[in-house]
Amino acid sequence: MSWFSIAGIKEEIRKITWPNRKDMTRNTTIVIGFILFFVAYFILTEFVLVWALQQLGLAGL
């Protein structure tokens, strides 16, 4: 466990390849897009289910 020391940790940090600004912007945009998609999906699903339960007379039980 040579990495379990300050010198080992510094060596491992030097091996990290950090994303550049272009990649980071692209990945962030993709993540935010997925989040917005799923928010819209779940809100729409909730409205449809509430409407369906109201039509069946099961809302508010």
Side-chain angles (χ1 to χ4, degrees):
M1 290 182 48
S2 64
W3 62 268
F4 200 66
S5 65
I6 298 298
I9 291 171
K10 287 181 180 179
E11 182 181 337
E12 289 297 320
I13 288 176
R14 280 189 220 107
K15 293 179 184 178
I16 296 172
T17 55
W18 300 99
N20 59 28
R21 186 174 186 90
K22 180 182 175 184
D23 290 337
M24 196 64 151
T25 303
R26 183 179 50 117
N27 291 340
T28 302
T29 303
I30 290 170
V31 168
I32 291 173
F34 270 100
I35 290 170
L36 292 175
F37 171 78
F38 282 109
V39 164
Y41 171 76
F42 286 120
I43 289 173
L44 180 65
T45 301
E46 181 179 0
F47 279 118
V48 168
L49 289 175
V50 167
W51 176 82
L53 290 173
Q54 286 174 343
Q55 296 304 311
L56 294 172
L58 297 174
L61 291 180

